[in-house]
Amino acid sequence: GAVVSQHPSWVICKSGTSVKIECRSLDFQATTMFWYRQFPKQSLMLMATSNEGSKATYEQGVEKDKFLINHASLTLSTLTVTSAHPEDSSFYICSPPGTRGADTQYFGPGTRLTVL
Amino acid sequence: QKEVEQNSGPLSVPEGAIASLNCTYSDRGSQSFFWYRQYSGKSPELIMSIYSNGDKEDGRFTAQLNKASQYVSLLIRDSQPSDSATYLCAVNGATSYDKVIFGPGTSLSVIP
C-alpha cells in the first residue's frame, strides 16, 4: 500500500520563527496531498490541498500566507508555518487521496509542532 | 456545510463485551465512509471502509451503513484493552479526490 513519510516527526521552535514540514510519498506518485491539523483532543481538520505544479487550495479560515504549501514534485509536498506562534502548536498530518473502492486512505505519521 | 457527528464519549466497556460506535453525516451525496482508530500521539489508522448499505465484517469489526438514515456505525466484538483509543468516523464525497470530513471522534476505553 501507499507509504507516506513526514519529517520532522516533532519540532520545538521559538515564537516568530518558521518551520518547514516535509511529506514524502515513498512508493507512489502523488499529484495531490491533503494537509490536516489536529489540536489536542480534537478531530482532524483539513487545512489545504496541495497540487503538483499549481497553487494549493486552502480551506476557509486558513491563512495561505501563514501556511505556505509547496508541491514541488510528485513525491514531495511541504508545509511551512511562517512566523509561528504558540497557537500554531498542533499535530500536522499529510495524507494522499484514497482510491475509491479500496481501503487505501493513508496518513503520514504526523509532525508534532510546539511553539514556545 | 458537510458535517459528521459522533458521541465524544468516553465510552467504557468491559473486556470481552461489544463496543458500539455511532456516526451521522449531513451530506446525502456522500459515497464513502471510513472508520479510523487513533492512539494518543499517533496518526489515524484505517480500520474499515464501507461504500454500500448493509454490514461489512472484518474480524472483530463490523461496519454498518444506512444511507437513508445517514447513519454509519462500528461494532467491535470481544473488545480488548488494546482497542482503547479514539475512533474517528470519516466521510468522503463522490470522487476519490473529494475532501474527507472527519467527525470529532469517540474515545473508547476497554476495562480489563
Side-chain angles (χ1 to χ4, degrees):
Chain A
V3 179
V4 178
S5 71
Q6 281 186 243
H7 177 80
S9 56
W10 60 270
V11 57
I12 301 173
C13 69
K14 293 182 179 180
S15 184
T17 60
S18 294
V19 175
K20 178 185 283 188
I21 301 171
E22 295 184 346
C23 175
R24 293 183 183 275
S25 54
L26 301 182
D27 59 353
F28 68 102
Q29 294 183 329
T31 57
T32 299
M33 193 69 72
F34 297 120
W35 283 94
Y36 291 87
R37 177 170 57 182
Q38 186 177 34
F39 292 109
K41 298 191 183 299
Q42 295 186 26
S43 192
L44 278 74
M45 295 299 296
L46 180 65
M47 297 177 64
T49 303
S50 72
N51 303 291
E52 191 270 337
S54 64
K55 292 183 178 180
T57 304
Y58 290 82
E59 295 301 300
Q60 189 174 8
V62 178
E63 301 174 58
K64 62 180 181 181
D65 294 331
K66 179 173 182 61
F67 299 97
L68 302 179
I69 290 177
N70 184 281
H71 200 130
S73 73
L74 293 174
T75 59
L76 175 63
S77 175
T78 61
L79 167 66
T80 301
V81 183
T82 63
S83 186
H85 288 93
E87 58 265 30
D88 298 323
S89 299
S90 187
F91 193 45
Y92 293 86
I93 311 173
C94 64
S95 173
T99 302
R100 188 168 184 273
D103 299 341
T104 55
Q105 186 77 27
Y106 294 102
F107 286 89
T111 297
R112 174 73 62 189
L113 171 62
T114 301
V115 184
L116 302 177
Chain B
Q1 179 74 18
K2 299 179 181 179
E3 292 184 355
V4 179
E5 297 183 355
Q6 299 177 250
N7 291 328
S8 61
L11 173 66
S12 294
V13 300
E15 183 174 356
I18 295 175
S20 178
L21 305 167
N22 304 316
C23 173
T24 58
Y25 59 95
S26 62
D27 185 4
R28 284 192 173 276
S30 300
Q31 298 291 320
S32 307
F33 308 87
F34 308 93
W35 281 100
Y36 289 87
R37 176 174 61 197
Q38 186 176 26
Y39 294 112
S40 181
K42 301 295 184 181
S43 276
E45 171 192 10
L46 182 66
I47 298 176
M48 294 279 286
S49 59
I50 186 167
Y51 305 98
S52 56
N53 282 327
D55 296 357
K56 179 181 178 182
E57 185 175 322
D58 184 1
R60 297 187 293 112
F61 300 96
T62 299
Q64 299 174 317
L65 175 62
N66 184 325
K67 289 186 178 181
S69 300
Q70 296 175 241
Y71 173 88
V72 59
S73 67
L74 178 70
L75 299 178
I76 306 175
R77 291 181 298 281
D78 189 22
S79 296
Q80 302 297 309
S82 58
D83 295 328
S84 299
T86 296
Y87 289 79
L88 302 171
C89 173
V91 175
N92 201 341
T95 69
S96 63
Y97 281 75
D98 205 347
K99 303 166 189 175
V100 175
I101 307 299
F102 286 84
T106 297
S107 175
L108 172 66
S109 179
V110 180
I111 310 301

